Each structure stands twice: as structure tokens, then as C-alpha cells.
Amino acid sequence: MQIILKMTTACNLNCIYCSEGDQPAETLPEEIFFKLVDELPPLLDHIGTKDAEFLFHGGEPMLYGRDNLKRLIDRAKDNLRGYNVRFLMQTNGTLIDDDWIKFFAAEEIGVGVSLDGYPALHDANRRTKSDEPTAEKILANLKRMRAAGLSVGTLMVFNSPEAVDAQKLFDFIQEHELHPKIHSVVPCGRAANEKHSAEIYGAWVELMKRLFELSLARDGADVIEPLDELVDAILGVAPVRECSFNGSCGEGFISVYPDGEVGFCGRDNLARLLTYGNLRDKTLLELYNSANAKRIRARQAYLPNHDCKGCADWNLCHGGCAFEAVNVFGKLEAKYPHCEARKKFIAWLRTDGLKLLKSALVREKVKRRNAIRIKRQLRGEIEQLGENHA
């Protein structure tokens, strides 16, 4: 289970699509976290898992402070002995210094950094409160973390109804050895009045297609999500892990907001569309079994008999993001807002995408055969030289 912890609503940036909006700064109280980890074992046992993954989120979670985070981490480790505990952080990456890098390494915190592509693309959306660009600072910090031996993931929010330079983005990904997850902007928070979300999603689909083509034309070794997961799922290799595709809302995730409210999604901190109740008043297990939690989980049984009935892509999509459904349509029992565009994208992956993959695999096989042939030829020449000198 992943527990998304909204450590603070405060942030040092002023991103134009921020899902937190412009609410007052608020910080998650230590006693709320302590109560959470005290009550987590019964919940994990109830759902039958030994895995507990804490995701420090925000706002900007680094503003919570290292000493404060250290106390939380120590409490979690002490209370969850016998469970598989993992810590993650999603950060904007601008505040990272040597002390933070040492902290990440010592506490084995997996770090995800928000980076919206090459500088011109990133800096159009993610700037400081004084309107300064941030891309170059983030890239420098990524380099420092990698030099220290840390593995860092990147998250890109696509926020343009217009086509971007896919080749430039792909080259940027290669140059900086990124393994990004790229998703389309969600119309909530500061982006709540985004009138072009359908166009943005359509442009995101076209970008994903082009990146897939560029990756396979190179050697196909690039990891760009959710492309890799979708292709693996189509081939039957592994299911999609991305929550907006796998139908795990209300089941494999919970989110704790700074005031102690518990919900199903970190994006819902501002709107509070379907919260479960407050940790100050109820146990964690009671909240997990609340009416809203059960209703969210029931979406997976409802949609195959209603909006998604007969859909050939159900096992790849599961009705899409529950938060986006209720955010756009005002009801949970609705399919993904970009359903038709997503189906066309999946259809492309099943047909043209798999053809491209097959061609790439054939090219790779030919390369390997040629390499073996050359190796055998060289071996024969070496053996012949040895015989001539004997």
C-alpha cells in the first residue's frame, strides 16, 4: 500500500497548473503521522500486504525539514518492524543540496523530481514566486544526486494544447539520461479552469506516439512511462502499475492531508471531493472502510456494467482516473473524461505500435547475428594466424 503524505501546502515555486491552488500554507502535524503509523499494521493485515510505501508529497515536502522528516521516518521504522517499509519523495528539486543528498542516501529515500522537459518547455510552467526559471538549477541538482550514487526518477506534466518539439524532448531525455513519467495536466487547482484539457490530452497522445517511434528507431532501450507499462500489458508481460490505468483507487492508495483528513488521491487535497473522514476522530481502519472508500472501490464493479460495458480495453484502462471522473463530471460513477482519445491511443499501440516494436526487434536480431558472424570471423582469423606462426 502507498500512503501519500501531503506534508505541507507551502511551496517555493509558483507553477501555473499546481493542483494545490492558492490555499494558505498548512503543515501535517507530527501527532497525525504518529497516529497513522501506530494504526497502520491492522490496516495492512486487513488488506493482506506486508508492503508500506510512504510518499512525502506537497506543496514542496522539503520545506518540512530534514530533522522533522527524520523523526517521522524513525517512528515508522520502529512501529512497522516485520513489514516492508519504503520511503519516497516527490520534489520540485530546487532546494536540494549536499546535506539533503546525504539524508536521501542515509534514509534510502527514493526521489522523484518534477521536470517538464527541456528548459524552454519546463520554464513556461514551473517558475519561482519571483518569476525566475528553474530548469537549469534542477538539472544541476539531478547531476549532483547521480554523482552521489542516487537513482532519481523524473515526472513531466504535459501542459500544452500545441505540439511540442518531440525530437528535441527525446534528445533532452537522452542527453540527461532521464527515465521520465509523462502525463497530461489535470484540470484542478490552478488549472481548474483549463478550457483546453481535451486538446492537451490529444497533443499528449501524439507526443507519446512520436516518442515511442523515436525510442524504437534508436534501440528501444529508453524507459518512458506510461509507454513501457502499456506495451508490457498489451504483450501480457506485466500489468500497468500507473494508478490512472490499473483501477486501484481506494484500495492500494490512501492520502493524508495536512489537517488530518484522509482521502483516496493526493490531487484531491484542495477540492476534497470524496474524503473518508479525519484521523483525529477515527481509526485508520475505520476510515479505509468508510462509505466513500467503499464507494470508490465499488467503481471497479460498476463501470464494466455501465459506461465501460463491452470495452475491449478494460484490462488496460479500468475506467481511468477516478479523481478526474468526479472532478470533471461531478460523479464517481463515470468513465475517464478522455476515454475516446485513450482508446484510440491504445488501439494505435496494439497495431502500429506493435509493428514498430516487431521491426525494432528484427533489426536487433539482425545486429546480433552480424555481431556473432563478425566474432566468428575474427576468431577464425586469429586461429589461422596461430597456425601460421606454429
Side-chain angles (χ1 to χ4, degrees), residues 149-164:
L150 296 181
S151 177
V152 186
T154 51
L155 175 65
M156 174 183 173
V157 176
F158 183 76
N159 187 38
S160 173
E162 306 296 331
V164 302

Side-chain angles (χ1 to χ4, degrees), residues 54-104:
F54 294 92
L55 172 60
F56 300 122
H57 211 281
E60 174 46 54
M62 289 178 64
L63 294 175
Y64 195 81
R66 285 189 303 277
D67 292 342
N68 294 333
L69 279 175
K70 175 62 174 171
R71 286 195 297 274
L72 303 191
I73 290 171
D74 287 346
R75 181 65 169 259
K77 289 178 179 178
D78 288 342
N79 279 43
L80 295 169
R81 296 181 188 276
Y83 294 87
N84 306 315
V85 182
R86 186 181 179 212
F87 302 98
L88 306 172
M89 179 182 286
Q90 184 63 39
T91 172
N92 63 42
T94 61
L95 301 177
I96 293 168
D97 58 19
D98 290 340
D99 289 334
W100 273 106
I101 290 173
K102 292 175 184 176
F103 181 75
F104 293 146

Side-chain angles (χ1 to χ4, degrees), residues 227-239 241:
L227 279 171
D228 284 60
E229 290 185 5
L230 283 170
V231 171
D232 282 351
I234 289 171
L235 294 173
V237 175
R241 295 184 299 276

Side-chain angles (χ1 to χ4, degrees), residues 57 69 86 109 169 172 202 206 213 233 251 255 309 325 344:
H57 211 281
L69 279 175
R86 186 181 179 212
I109 299 173
L169 177 59
F172 175 81
E206 294 307 313
E213 292 170 347
E251 183 175 355
S255 186
K309 189 172 183 178
K344 290 178 181 177

Side-chain angles (χ1 to χ4, degrees), residues 41-63:
L43 174 57
L44 297 176
D45 295 344
H46 173 71
I47 63 178
T49 183
K50 289 290 185 181
D51 299 326
E53 187 175 78
F54 294 92
L55 172 60
F56 300 122
H57 211 281
E60 174 46 54
M62 289 178 64
L63 294 175

